[in-house]
Amino acid sequence: MAQVTFEEISASDFFYRNRDIAGFTNPTRAIFAAIRELVENSLDAAESLKIPPEIYVRLSFEGEASRETQIYKLRVEDNGCGVPPRHIPSAFGQVLFGSKYKLKQQRGTFGLGGKMAILYGQITTHQPATIISSTGMSRIYMYRLMIDIQRNRPIILDRKVFLNKEGWRGTVVEFSLEGDYLRAMPKILEYFKQTAMVNPYANITFVDPKGRLYKFIRATTVMPDPPKETLPHPYGVDVELLQRLIQVTPYNNMLEFLKNHFHRVGEITARKFLEFSDISPSKNPKRLSHEEIVRLMHMLKKFKEFLPPDASCLSPLGEELLKTGVLKELKPEFVAVHQRKPATYAGHPFIVEVAIAYGGEIPQKGGILIYRFANRIPLLYDEASDVSVKVINEMNWRRYKVTPDMPIAIVVHICSTKVPYKTVGKEFIADRPEVRREIANGLREVARQLQHFLTRREHVDRERKRLGVFSKYLPKIAEFSTKLAGKEKPPDIEKLLRSVRRFGVEGI
Amino acid sequence: MREFKSIIERRKEVLTNLENFGLKIYEQLDRGYFPFIEMPSRSTENIYYDPRFRQFILGDKRVRRSTRNIRHLKPFAQLVWTALFSYELTSQRKTSTLRDVYYSAQAYEMTFKDQQESNNIITDLETVLGFSREDFNIFPEERSAVFGDLTIRYTVPGYEGKTLNLTSHPDGVMIGPALTSAEFVETTADKVIAIEKGGLFTRFIEENVHKKFNAILVLTAGQAPRATRHFIRRLNRELGLPVYIFTDGDPWGMHIAMVIISGSANAAHLRDLTTPDAKWSGVWATDIVKYKLPTDPLDEIDMKRLYELQKDPRYKEDPLWQREIKTFMKIRRKAEQEAFSRYGLTYIVDEYLPAKLEETKYP
Ligand SMILES: Nc1ncnc2c1ncn2[C@@H]1O[C@H](COP(=O)(O)OP(=O)(O)O)[C@@H](O)[C@H]1O
Ligand SMILES: [Mg+2]
């Protein structure tokens, strides 16, 4: 009989074994994912203080790893909030440790991304990572650490403290990893360009292993309002969350429990709900049986009178900034932007923002260029499966005078406390009817604006052409008839040309 | 009648008309108007068959081309340019082909889209002024020929006053601008025989048909060009010669004869191109039967053409046409002029020709 052994694995061990789900599938994807995770941490860190991000990324060549892959050193510097010294080892050396578990829109969520990058670097190069950070106070801290994968604990190899004479604030993360930059390059550059598009207030500098410098300069210092934290909405809770709330609640009756732990539930709504679900207001939540908790969850979803979640926990880019970003990175001739009113799916608030851009430097590639974003992160993979792409493909573009040969780009940004990703890989948005409807309505609005623009331009073009025809042929008719009639001086046709210019002439 | 005026007078008239045309436009412009012109419409609804003239003519419908209308502007400019170009040709007594016109325009940044477009504009000018393009010294490329005892006097520069007898070259003399504008001096011929095909034309010359039958021979080379039709008309009108036409025995040959006699719908805006009393002498459908000629079957396109011609007003003038059309339809066969060779090379000249000339003799 075979012997079966049971073992418990740590969180870092789990993610180490399943690194695919975090995007570290192969040397090409890994190098892309590492840059992306660190840049997003930096953006979050600066935005949390509402300071225009200043991010410097350097990838340098260290040596050959195999025929296909190389060793690179990745360094990312930012001017963000910095990490308090006592949290540095865990923030960068312990999987599932993070400051972003609260319910508001953020890029990171699991306390995972940055660590996966460091973990990947560690297992491919066996080198420690260096973290330098300061919150802007009198000291700067430097840590060299590795991750103890089995125990999911940081191992601190070195720690130094410097005086922060210049009042620097920010974070530097540096480590080595294996990767294939040449293959990853197109996606990485695309990632920076698109990041610059939805973060038009950020300065991003990238120096690649060949020493090439890519600079994305901010076009504004205006930043969107940071999101506020919210309580969970009753439509969005699951049994897991209910149990956690019951564990930590200081309230010992259902009425107070509901009023204090849920978004959009006040005295009146809470009473109505308790009556609806036949639960006594004075019942102690800690006494609820498992069956009762399950029933409570179902009743919460069934009750029709909860107000929809408000969107203060969201931080959309806003029409102005979206426009700035599109103009800056795509340099189109025309752009229309539109922000939808907040909506919800399954109790999660979300906002869709769309833009359509035409002409200028947008390439004419025989189809619409699609840029997808979620919480200001570009989504670069699996475009075909994304709900936006489906909506775009199903639209009747002819109605808006749009033909496939036109240089057109569409931007779809969805922000939410819980982006409806289809997979853990955070690459495309699932096809949910509520989301689909918002995207479709948004696109119709900007498509209409584009249509107006195209019609107007067509009109101007036609007028210009008309005038061209008149100013080409009237002088010729004058010239030929003068010669034919044997006259010396040609007739004055300026008046005629002026009248074409001023009133247009009947015809067509 | 215009055609009896001397060539020189006619040229003067053409030049004055062109000048006046230019003046009209100049004056409209000078007074600050968008110039316009009016001319008879050439659309099919405005083309009528006129039994009096025995040709197609244009009705009363007129069209206005105004430079106020953006779509008329370019053709208008092209028309004025063509008038100017024609004026220069005519006054300098130079000739040009339809193709030349198409290319010359490019020098004035007056590009025509294609030859068809420039041909159309020339037809417009003909319609506006009531002269044919040959009057403006513009000729098509295809050329036909003439042979026979007719002496002409040239009016073209460099040859003015020189005379030529049209038997002087055994291949015949090309009916080009110089010949078209020449004056007729004298002739001993008492008839004109027009022939569709070059082979037979040469045979007739070799066989001395011109002498034997006292005839001027004209090669139409298929559908007769306008200059040739005008030339045949002049032989008929100015010299009073009867005209006999010999074509292949099929609907197409029949129509070659008809266009010489009654003109074409395309030239409904023009006169002086028809010879209403010319005769189609053969090859008739009934000749095919009578002479037992070697034949080919009529194909579908031939039959379709016959049905069209049957309804054509020109073919209702003389019962001969309807009879021949019906016979073609009945026998469903056609024969070429060369078919007579089955009876020997000279049979057509010795037997067929005299018989047919007699049969279709002018009353
Ligand atoms: N550049 C940075 N500046 C400030 N804090 C950072 C930075 N990078 C990471 N952190 C902190 O470390 C935590 C863990 O980061 P990460 O592993 O990427 O997970 P997540 O971003 O999902 O929270 C973050 O929640 C944040 O508090
Ligand atoms: Mg992160």
Side-chain angles (χ1 to χ4, degrees), chain B residues 287-305:
Chain B
D287 293 345
I288 295 176
V289 181
K290 192 166 155 194
Y291 292 87
K292 297 193 177 62
L293 297 176
T295 58
D296 290 317
L298 289 174
D299 61 26
E300 238 171 80
I301 308 161
D302 296 329
M303 290 303 288
K304 212 177 132 249
R305 186 72 182 140

Side-chain angles (χ1 to χ4, degrees), chain A residues 466 469-470 473-474 476-478 480-485 487 489 491-493 496 499-500 505-506 508, chain B residues 18-19 22-23 25-26 29-30 32-34 67-68 70 73-74 76-77 80-81 83-84 87 108-110:
Chain A
R466 280 172 60 78
V469 173
F470 278 99
Y473 289 110
L474 276 182
K476 291 211 179 283
I477 293 172
F480 301 148
S481 64
T482 306
K483 281 191 192 151
L484 195 52
K487 298 279 184 185
K489 153 175 123 19
D492 181 17
I493 54 165
L496 287 179
S499 81
V500 177
V505 168
E506 80 206 31
I508 303 300
Chain B
L18 285 167
E19 251 173 58
L23 197 62
I25 291 155
Y26 178 90
L29 279 173
D30 206 36
Y33 298 134
F34 285 96
T67 52
R68 196 182 274 282
I70 186 151
L73 207 53
K74 184 180 176 195
F76 198 103
V80 185
W81 174 80
L84 177 63
Y87 185 88
Y108 292 79
E109 284 173 63
M110 286 300 310

